[in-house]
Amino acid sequence: MSPEQASKQLRMLRDFARFYAACWLHPQLVCRICERTSEPPYLTSSPFLSPLCLLDLLPTSSCALRELGELFHPHYPQVLTHGGLCPVNILVSPSTGRVTRIIEWAEAELLPFGLALYGLDVLLGYLGLGGWSYLEIRDELEQKFWKYLSDCIADAKGPPEDRIRNAVTIAREVGVLMQYGFKWKTGVVE
């Protein structure tokens, strides 16, 4: 990757971090359904949960699902969450690398912060003929993304505590599972 491309990639990640920080800083007031039921409604609804590759996902899924309650703690923000952060829905200026728009909000819903962080991976890699590949500088880019996000949130509310950081990690893992680890029983969103 050329230095110019790396610079554009960093700008795109900075914009993406600002997008997520705006969600964090503007949580939505929602009815706490999960306080009255034993499981989050989206894990018990009919379209979900036919594992595609359970053995590969088992370590991540069991840990994330065991810690799921953290995402519904009263201090953890529920935010408007994009339902399909993929490359075709993230518009980027080719000349600057800046995110200009995030489109296709038809599947947006109020969910715990971080469930759409699976979208970070689409900025750290690409799908080629041989399957998914990460950029050579993925680790550096990912570290900078988390620093940008933390800085944006800390500027307004102080640094996130360890419990919140843990919950964000869980949310990202659950988001990855929801986006890529399961298929819809009927093949369509109901």
Side-chain angles (χ1 to χ4, degrees):
M1 175 177 286
S2 74
E4 181 183 353
Q5 284 179 302
S7 177
K8 288 178 183 179
Q9 200 75 19
L10 279 172
R11 276 188 226 119
M12 184 172 47
L13 283 169
R14 188 177 303 121
D15 289 348
F16 209 56
R18 286 184 185 135
F19 166 76
Y20 280 108
C23 294
W24 177 274
L25 296 171
H26 299 90
Q28 306 299 306
L29 297 175
V30 295
C31 173
R32 296 274 181 193
I33 295 170
C34 296
E35 290 176 2
R36 295 190 305 267
T37 62
S38 60
E39 295 182 25
Y42 53 86
L43 290 181
T44 58
S45 61
S46 63
F48 264 127
L49 302 183
S50 296
L52 291 176
C53 48
L54 187 58
L55 293 177
D56 291 337
L57 296 172
L58 195 56
T60 299
S61 63
S62 63
C63 177
L65 294 175
R66 198 172 41 251
E67 301 288 333
L68 198 59
E70 287 295 314
L71 305 184
F72 296 94
H73 188 275
H75 298 293
Y76 195 77
Q78 307 297 304
V79 300
L80 184 62
T81 302
H82 194 285
L85 280 174
C86 58
V88 297
N89 292 335
I90 303 169
L91 304 184
V92 178
S93 168
S95 61
T96 65
R98 302 289 312 260
V99 174
T100 59
R101 304 272 188 286
I102 296 180
I103 62 170
E104 191 57 53
W105 287 83
E107 295 177 20
E109 56 187 315
L110 295 177
L111 294 171
F113 174 82
L115 288 181
L117 277 167
Y118 67 84
L120 174 59
D121 285 305
V122 303
L123 303 179
L124 299 174
Y126 57 93
L127 185 60
L129 294 176
W132 185 261
S133 298
Y134 283 105
L135 300 171
E136 296 168 5
I137 59 171
R138 175 212 179 191
D139 292 338
E140 175 189 345
L141 292 172
E142 188 170 11
Q143 287 175 355
K144 289 189 178 197
F145 169 82
W146 290 109
K147 170 110 174 70
Y148 294 148
L149 179 62
S150 182
D151 289 349
C152 289
I153 291 170
D155 285 348
K157 294 195 172 188
E161 57 185 77
D162 288 341
R163 180 179 183 165
I164 298 297
R165 288 185 186 166
N166 182 50
V168 171
T169 301
I170 293 164
R172 181 178 184 201
E173 291 173 0
V174 170
V176 168
L177 292 170
M178 289 174 62
Q179 187 67 19
Y180 302 114
F182 300 100
K183 65 180 181 178
W184 300 98
K185 288 181 182 177
T186 61
V188 296
V189 177
E190 294 175 350

